[in-house]
Each structure stands twice: as C-alpha cells, then as structure tokens.
Amino acid sequence: MKEIVKVKLENEMDLILAHKRAMKLCELTGFSLINQTSIATAVSEIARCAIEHGQNAILLLGIESGVTKKFLKASIRDTIDFTQRAGEACSYAKRLVDDIEIVRSGKDIQINLKQQLNFGGTITDSKIESFIGYFKNEPPLSAYDELRRKNLLLQDLAEKIRDSENDYRILTDSLPLMMFSVNNRGVITYTNKWLQDFLGTVPKELNSNAWQNFLHPSDYSAFGKEITASVQRQSPFNGQYRFKEKATGNFIWHMFSAIPLKNEKEIVTRWIGFIVDISAQKQVDQTLKDNKELKEIQDQLFNNQEELQRKVVELNRSNYELEQFAHLASHDLQEPLRKLFFYSDVLKRKFSDKIDEAGVGILNNMTAAAGRMKELINDLLSYSQLQKQQIVFEDVDLNDTISDIIKDLDLTIKEKNAVVKFAEMPNVRGNPLRLRQLFINLISNSLKYSKKDVAPQIEITSETDGGNYYIRVKDNGIGFEEQYSERIFGLFERLHTRNEFPGTGIGLSICKRIAELHQGKISATSKVGEYSIFSIELPVVGKKETVEAD
C-alpha cells in the first residue's frame, strides 16, 4: 500500500479527524458522496473500537495496487488485539465496503478495509503524490488538529533521530576501532562498544587525569602534555601510546586521535576521537630495526673476522720467528757460550801465575755473566717448547711427583734447614714432565725467596669441589705486595734485583702456561714479610687426551 495519510487514534477528537480524512480521500479518488459516507462510516466504526479497546492504534489511509485494479485501503493497526471487542463493528463495516480482513503478525494486529476505485486507471503515482502533498499542506481542521499534526511531526522526527542514532551506533560498534565524542566542556558523551570492551570502563573526561589508569606509566606524562596543548590550541591531536587491555592486562600500542568540530563562528562545539590498534605496525617497525641492528652486527663481525685473520697471520709469523729463535738459542747461541766457558777456564789454569787479583775478578765476573746468559737461554728454550709441543696426557699421581721433587731439592732444603710438608695429593690427568716442571718451579721459588735467618716452611695442600682440584703451595717467605699478584706471571717480570735474588723472571710464566695447557689456572696471594700462597686449579677429569700448544 502507498501510504497517503496517517492518524493516531487516542480519543474522540482523533475519531473525528479519521472520519473527515477518510471522507476527503474518498472525494479525491472519485467516489460518490454516498460511497464517501459509507467508507468513512466503516472506518470510523473500526477506529472507535481501536480507541476504546486498543492501546497504540494508528489509522493509515492509502492506495493499494492489484494485478489489474486499484483499491482505497484503510488499515487500523495496534499492538493490542482488540478484534474480540470489534465483532459487531466488523460485521457492520462489511456491509459498507467491498472487503475487510484481519491480519495478525506476532503481537501486532491490523484490520484492513478495501474499496475498489471506480477509475483506478486515472490514479497514477504522480496523482498519489499530489494526494500526499494535499494532506501535508491541508489547513488544520481545528486547534486540536494543529496540535495533533505538530505532535505527530515531532514523533516522526524523534523516531527518525532514534533510527539514525541506532544506525550510527551499529556502524561505530561494527568498526574495528575505538571511538568517542566529547562536548565543549571536555565531558565524554559517547563511546562505542569497542572502547568499552577494551578498557573495561569509560573515562569521564578528555584530560590526562581521567585517562591515567588506562595508559602505560611511561606514556602518561607525554599524553597529558599533548592533550592540554591541543585543547588550548583547539587543533587536532595525534599520538602513539600504549593502552591497557582490561581482559589481558597487557599494554598495546594504539594511535590516539582527537579532532575538534567547529560551528560557523569557528567555535569548537565538540570533539571526535579515534583509537586505532597499531601493535602490528609496531612489531614490523621493531623487526625492521632489529634487522638493521643485526646487519650492523654482521658487518662488525665481518670486520672482526678480517681483523682476526690478520692477527692469526701475525701470530703464525710470530710463532715461526719464535721457533727460529728457539733453534738459534739451542744451537747457535749455545756454542759461543761453551767457548767462553772453555777459554776462561784455560786462562785460569794456565795463566793463573801471570794474572793479578783484579784480572781474576774480571774472569770470575765474565764467567758469572756467561752463566746467567746460559740460564736465560735455557729458560727461554723451555718456554718456547711449551708453545709449540704437543702435550700428551696420562694419569699422574701428584704424591709421587712432589716426593721426587723434594728428593731432587734435598741439598738446598738441608742448606736452608727448610721443612716441606704435603697432604694427600690427587691423581690428575696431565703430562708428568710439565706438572713436575710446574711444582718444582713453585717449590724452588719458595726456597729462593725465604727470609734471612728464618727456616723456610712450605706446606702443600689439596681439596676438591667435585669438578676441580684446588692445590695450594704456601710458604713463610718474604712475600710481595698484592698489586703485583698478576704481574709476577708475566714474561721476564721481576720484583727484585739480580743481586738480591738470582733468576731470569721466566719461571712463573712457565707455571701459568703449564696450568693453562691442563685446562686450569694459577693465581697468587701474599702479605709482605709473612707469606705467599700459589693456588693451582686443575679439572678432576682432563678434557682432552692431548693438547696442541698454540
């Protein structure tokens, strides 16, 4: 049906309006006066029942087009079934119009009255539009009619606004972003479902205090400053912040935007805000940043590899030169020293009666210097051999090793009235020759750096934590200052002059290298004038059967 006029049925005045408008529409569509009266009377009878027994009755008058015919149609609708009380009225109406029907749809009920138009062919769509315009512009029949008409217009407008608001809410709730609106006082007047579900509640105002509980602590200060500045400038605001998701408690990156809406006088009337999830974009940005950093690290690694290659070449060259030096020391340098010893001995024996006391002193100094040179060459040779030899490991009983060392040093021990004691030592996996060299150097040092007129006391102990053995060699000698505890293991490092204590300064360097070849380490602690302690750490089980010295 093409609706032409609508009358809300609430009281007797509405019944009069329904009768008059039914009469007028019948007149406009070409019915005779008798038919006009009959149709309007039928409509009035049904409308009266709807007013008396219904609740929200409405009369709709219009034109319905059939397959070949057109009809004037009056439809009285309500949400209350008043038909049980309208039986007599329906019976009377059937005698006045061509057709009457009752239609039920859920809780809605409607009674339709239809009368065939005599000249249906002349009732075109444009003609129907003119009927609608007539009733829209028709002067009010009375003051009540005027009020009723304006009230209906307001109700229609309110209904359209409600429909528009409902459509807007459905739209904003379906979009995958959070939305809100704020009035010119800063009060939030609308939020969509996405924002309510994400935050778990709705902030009251567009200010930093209201949003504090929803922002990451690190972002709160910047958010407050930007919001305040934007409101003062009355300009759009955009920023990236982490908002707390109520369901998970996680802070997720979002783009926050607020746009001011102004009237024709450029006065801000309200703000529209959007909060869009950009966590995926942030992850992409972070991935690109990580890839860039990884590329820089790879470039640095490549440069380091080139530097390492260069160092390896230099190290190989140094090792080669060291080997050449070792060969020189073991052969070429030894021969002049042997001749020096030989000729000095010849001078002493054959020409002793011709050399005065000063000459003898010179010969003795020359022999002593040659002896120190030989000692230095031998120590350097020992150290260089550690650098290039392959060290073969086997089971070594340190009890036997230390016992043999004490026997070898028996003469020096007796000369100094020294006491060397050692507790039960472990069996270790190592090279017997090098371990013997390690401990004989340490015990010899303890005997050498003893105090005058004080018998040396040397104590060797051992303990383990299951993964390593810890062996300590402690003496009561002259000691040294703690600041030199690492320096003493350097090559040629000496804390005393040759006149005080003879030696080359290579012995402890050899000890350190031997410990490292056994996957261990050595350290020292001391107190000047009281003691020195050398601690060796060796693994309980050797990691390799052989070690290639590098």
Side-chain angles (χ1 to χ4, degrees):
M1 180 181 75
K2 181 68 174 180
E3 180 184 322
I4 296 174
V5 64
K6 179 169 67 173
V7 179
K8 191 171 178 64
L9 302 175
E10 294 181 344
N11 51 47
E12 291 296 327
M13 294 298 295
D14 294 329
L15 186 61
I16 293 172
L17 290 174
H19 184 272
K20 288 184 176 181
R21 290 202 163 91
M23 286 283 292
K24 189 62 181 178
L25 183 58
C26 288
E27 179 187 345
L28 293 174
T29 51
F31 284 104
S32 66
L33 181 59
I34 295 175
N35 286 336
Q36 293 175 25
T37 304
S38 298
I39 295 170
T41 300
V43 170
S44 297
E45 287 297 318
I46 303 300
R48 183 185 303 278
C49 289
I51 292 172
E52 292 178 354
H53 306 295
Q55 184 175 7
N56 300 301
I58 295 175
L59 167 64
L60 299 175
L61 298 172
I63 305 296
E64 184 176 86
S65 299
V67 177
T68 59
K69 301 177 181 179
K70 285 187 174 67
F71 301 88
L72 185 146
K73 183 176 180 181
S75 180
I76 296 92
R77 302 175 182 178
D78 205 335
T79 56
I80 299 296
D81 189 354
F82 62 91
T83 56
Q84 295 178 356
R85 304 290 185 93
E88 185 177 347
C90 289
S91 297
Y92 180 64
K94 285 181 180 180
R95 296 196 295 271
L96 300 175
V97 296
D98 290 343
D99 186 31
I100 182 170
E101 63 176 352
I102 299 173
V103 180
R104 292 180 175 84
S105 176
K107 293 183 179 180
D108 295 336
I109 185 78
Q110 66 183 55
I111 297 178
N112 298 322
L113 307 174
K114 292 199 298 185
Q115 185 72 26
Q116 183 180 344
L117 295 173
N118 293 327
F119 307 103
T122 63
I123 309 299
T124 63
D125 291 341
S126 60
K127 194 73 172 178
I128 294 173
E129 291 297 327
S130 69
F131 296 161
I132 295 173
Y134 173 83
F135 284 104
K136 183 180 295 185
N137 300 314
E138 179 189 25
L141 302 177
S142 64
Y144 174 81
D145 185 28
E146 177 69 13
L147 291 174
R148 166 61 74 185
R149 183 178 295 180
K150 290 183 177 179
N151 185 47
L152 287 174
L153 289 175
L154 289 174
Q155 289 179 359
D156 287 344
L157 181 60
E159 184 176 352
K160 290 178 180 179
I161 290 174
R162 283 194 299 272
D163 291 341
S164 177
E165 289 179 345
N166 185 55
D167 291 343
Y168 177 76
R169 181 170 290 279
I170 292 173
L171 175 63
T172 58
D173 286 346
S174 63
L175 293 174
L177 75 161
M178 293 180 269
M179 298 179 62
F180 61 90
S181 62
V182 185
N183 63 21
N184 57 5
R185 298 187 304 276
V187 178
I188 293 179
T189 57
Y190 170 79
T191 56
N192 71 342
K193 188 173 183 297
W194 282 83
L195 187 143
Q196 297 171 20
D197 291 345
F198 187 89
L199 300 181
T201 184
V202 178
K204 295 181 180 179
E205 295 181 295
L206 185 65
N207 58 48
S208 57
N209 292 332
W211 290 81
Q212 182 174 6
N213 295 330
F214 308 108
L215 284 161
H216 192 282
S218 300
D219 300 339
Y220 169 66
S221 176
F223 177 85
K225 291 178 181 178
E226 292 294 335
I227 279 288
T228 302
S230 179
V231 171
Q232 291 175 348
R233 296 192 307 265
Q234 295 190 351
S235 60
F237 163 64
N238 290 285
Q240 296 181 7
Y241 308 99
R242 285 162 289 184
F243 289 88
K244 186 176 182 179
E245 185 178 23
K246 178 67 174 179
T248 63
N250 296 329
F251 287 95
I252 300 174
W253 280 102
H254 285 78
M255 172 70 77
F256 184 98
S257 302
I259 303 171
L261 301 181
K262 301 179 181 180
N263 60 18
E264 65 277 0
K265 296 181 179 180
E266 291 299 311
I267 298 174
V268 174
T269 57
R270 59 185 176 132
W271 295 70
I272 299 296
F274 307 92
I275 306 176
V276 183
D277 187 339
I278 58 170
S279 57
Q281 176 187 337
K282 281 288 185 179
Q283 290 177 357
V284 171
D285 292 343
Q286 185 62 43
T287 301
L288 293 175
K289 180 181 177 182
D290 291 343
N291 287 342
K292 182 179 179 181
E293 292 178 353
L294 180 60
K295 182 64 168 59
E296 291 175 352
I297 292 173
Q298 287 175 334
D299 291 341
Q300 184 62 42
L301 180 60
F302 180 75
N303 293 334
N304 291 342
Q305 286 177 334
E306 289 185 335
E307 180 66 16
L308 181 61
Q309 292 271 353
R310 189 176 64 80
K311 293 293 185 183
V312 168
V313 171
E314 292 179 359
L315 181 61
N316 289 334
R317 185 172 61 250
S318 296
N319 286 340
Y320 175 76
E321 292 172 353
L322 184 60
E323 290 178 5
Q324 296 301 310
F325 172 77
H327 177 78
L328 176 67
S330 61
H331 297 86
D332 299 347
L333 291 181
Q334 294 282 15
E335 181 60 27
L337 283 177
R338 283 193 291 269
K339 289 181 178 179
L340 189 59
F341 282 120
F342 173 75
Y343 288 124
S344 64
D345 184 59
V346 170
L347 285 173
K348 286 181 183 180
R349 285 189 290 104
K350 291 188 176 182
F351 304 98
S352 59
D353 56 336
K354 297 180 181 179
I355 300 175
D356 58 13
E357 185 175 348
V360 173
I362 293 173
L363 284 174
N364 289 336
N365 290 337
M366 182 181 66
T367 304
R372 288 194 299 272
M373 184 64 181
K374 182 177 182 180
E375 181 183 8
L376 178 60
I377 290 172
N378 288 334
D379 285 347
L380 279 174
L381 187 58
S382 296
Y383 189 80
S384 67
Q385 288 173 343
L386 285 176
Q387 297 297 105
K388 67 174 184 176
Q389 286 184 344
Q390 188 180 65
I391 309 299
V392 179
F393 283 3
E394 59 184 73
D395 291 331
V396 179
D397 187 345
L398 292 182
N399 293 288
D400 295 340
T401 300
I402 295 174
S403 295
D404 291 343
I405 291 171
I406 293 173
K407 290 178 182 178
D408 291 343
L409 298 175
D410 180 64
L411 183 59
T412 305
I413 291 172
K414 288 180 178 179
E415 286 178 353
K416 289 182 172 285
N417 293 320
V419 176
V420 181
K421 296 188 297 184
F422 66 96
E424 183 69 24
M425 292 290 110
N427 287 349
V428 298
R429 193 72 178 167
N431 181 268
L433 178 61
R434 296 309 173 191
L435 289 174
R436 174 184 173 84
Q437 190 177 9
L438 167 65
F439 284 102
I440 198 169
N441 279 350
L442 293 179
I443 296 172
S444 296
N445 271 4
S446 294
L447 293 171
K448 180 195 297 185
Y449 295 103
S450 60
K451 291 179 285 189
K452 293 181 179 179
D453 303 325
V454 176
Q457 302 288 325
I458 303 171
E459 184 178 3
I460 306 171
T461 59
S462 173
E463 59 184 28
T464 181
D465 60 3
N468 293 287
Y469 293 117
Y470 302 93
I471 302 168
R472 301 199 319 165
V473 179
K474 180 179 180 181
D475 61 47
N476 62 340
I478 62 173
F480 57 86
E481 294 184 9
E482 283 287 335
Q483 61 180 324
Y484 302 118
S485 60
E486 294 186 10
R487 175 181 165 185
I488 59 175
F489 293 102
L491 199 62
F492 300 119
E493 288 292 344
R494 295 176 54 87
L495 302 182
H496 307 89
T497 65
R498 294 184 184 275
N499 293 332
E500 294 177 294
F501 299 96
T504 62
I506 299 178
L508 289 179
S509 300
I510 293 174
C511 291
K512 180 182 179 182
R513 183 57 180 157
I514 292 172
E516 291 172 348
L517 290 174
H518 286 76
Q519 293 88 48
K521 56 186 177 180
I522 185 171
S523 60
T525 58
S526 181
K527 187 171 183 181
V528 176
E530 294 189 17
Y531 66 84
S532 293
I533 300 174
F534 289 86
S535 301
I536 306 104
E537 180 181 329
L538 297 174
V540 170
V541 178
K543 297 180 181 178
K544 300 179 180 178
E545 291 298 315
T546 61
V547 174
E548 187 73 37
D550 52 341

